[in-house]
Amino acid sequence: MNPNVVAEEYLILQRAIMDAQKELTEAYVNEIDLDIKKQDLKRELPVLPQLTQSPVPGVLYHQAVEKIADVIEEHQPDLADELNKIKATLTEEEVMTWIKEAVMFDEFYFKQQAKDRGVSEWLPHFLAEQGLRPFMQLMAREVADIIQEFDVMGTCPCCGEPHRVAKLIKGEKHLNCPRCETLWKQKRLACVHCGNDKHEKLFYINVKDDESSKIEVCESCKNYLKVVDTEKLFANKPAALLDLETIHLDFVAQEEGYDGQ
Ligand SMILES: [Zn+2]
Ligand SMILES: [Zn+2]
């Protein structure tokens, strides 16, 4: 098993995108007034679908998408024409639809966007999603002090993303969302997807030559979770990066028949 199944070139691009997202997050932190009424939020639903006002301002999102496009162009100059085509044709009105469809992870919409513009099928959705993450992360910061009170089954309590990555921190399991980077302690020894707490139906797969991570699998729902021991990594990496660096675990889990289907 080769742990480096994600091409180094792609990881370098992703790290550059994450740096840009961090810059955007810091630049926007004082520009966005989320005004979330925390006391009104239900604790059994993710925060994002409960907000009455979009946490993503159109103008700033448009800037974020353009910045991510520039980072991609810097690393992949062969995509310059396609990126410029998107930048030149993306209207303010369309930006609002992009936000909505990116939040809903509507792949069909973005495939149509690619077709309409004559660009690579993956590119509009990738741009739309990466442009969204700084805002998801700002929203997560805003509710960080109450997120531990939430009890949402199967998804991130902040943005609603399905669970993929957990971190072992001092032996305790914390779920960490690769989309909004929310980190929250898991209360129970139970499957994070379906709540199954029968120990004989929950077990781990260890992967050869990988000391720092393992796969938690559930026989009840056939889903899995990648668990990374951060103390063995000697680095506190964002969940988005860990998710990519552990893509070999996804292959193993899926080969073994665990993918929630
Ligand atoms: Zn999230
Ligand atoms: Zn389960």
Side-chain angles (χ1 to χ4, degrees), residues 50-67:
Q50 296 192 63
L51 299 183
T52 47
Q53 206 185 335
S54 169
V56 192
V59 178
L60 298 185
Y61 178 75
H62 202 165
Q63 282 177 11
V65 166
E66 292 197 339
K67 183 168 173 114

Side-chain angles (χ1 to χ4, degrees), residues 156-161 177-182 184:
C156 167
C158 184
C159 76
E161 179 82 350
C177 175
R179 196 181 206 193
C180 73
E181 294 294 336
T182 285
W184 74 108

Side-chain angles (χ1 to χ4, degrees), residues 163-209:
H163 299 308
R164 293 205 296 278
V165 184
K167 281 178 181 170
L168 279 182
I169 303 171
K170 295 193 171 81
E172 289 182 320
K173 197 197 290 173
H174 292 71
L175 290 163
N176 199 183
C177 175
R179 196 181 206 193
C180 73
E181 294 294 336
T182 285
L183 181 79
W184 74 108
K185 204 167 129 185
Q186 199 203 350
K187 285 187 211 157
R188 300 170 298 254
L189 255 176
C191 170
V192 294
H193 302 287
C194 73
N196 156 50
D197 57 1
K198 295 188 185 74
H199 291 235
E200 68 277 13
K201 294 213 165 186
L202 201 67
F203 58 95
Y204 291 98
I205 299 175
N206 288 294
V207 179
K208 204 169 160 265
D209 301 329

Side-chain angles (χ1 to χ4, degrees), residues 20 29 32 47 49 61 74 87 93 96 98 171 178 182 195 218 255:
V29 71
I32 296 177
V47 174
Y61 178 75
E74 218 175 281
K87 281 202 282 185
E93 202 187 343
M96 300 316 287
W98 270 42
T182 285
C218 171
E255 265 171 29

Side-chain angles (χ1 to χ4, degrees), residues 6-31:
V6 178
E8 190 54 31
E9 208 177 55
Y10 185 66
L11 274 178
I12 290 169
L13 168 64
Q14 286 282 353
R15 284 194 196 105
I17 290 174
M18 284 175 213
D19 287 344
Q21 286 165 332
K22 210 170 169 189
E23 272 174 41
L24 288 165
T25 307
E26 297 312 327
Y28 292 161
V29 71
N30 292 321
E31 279 195 56

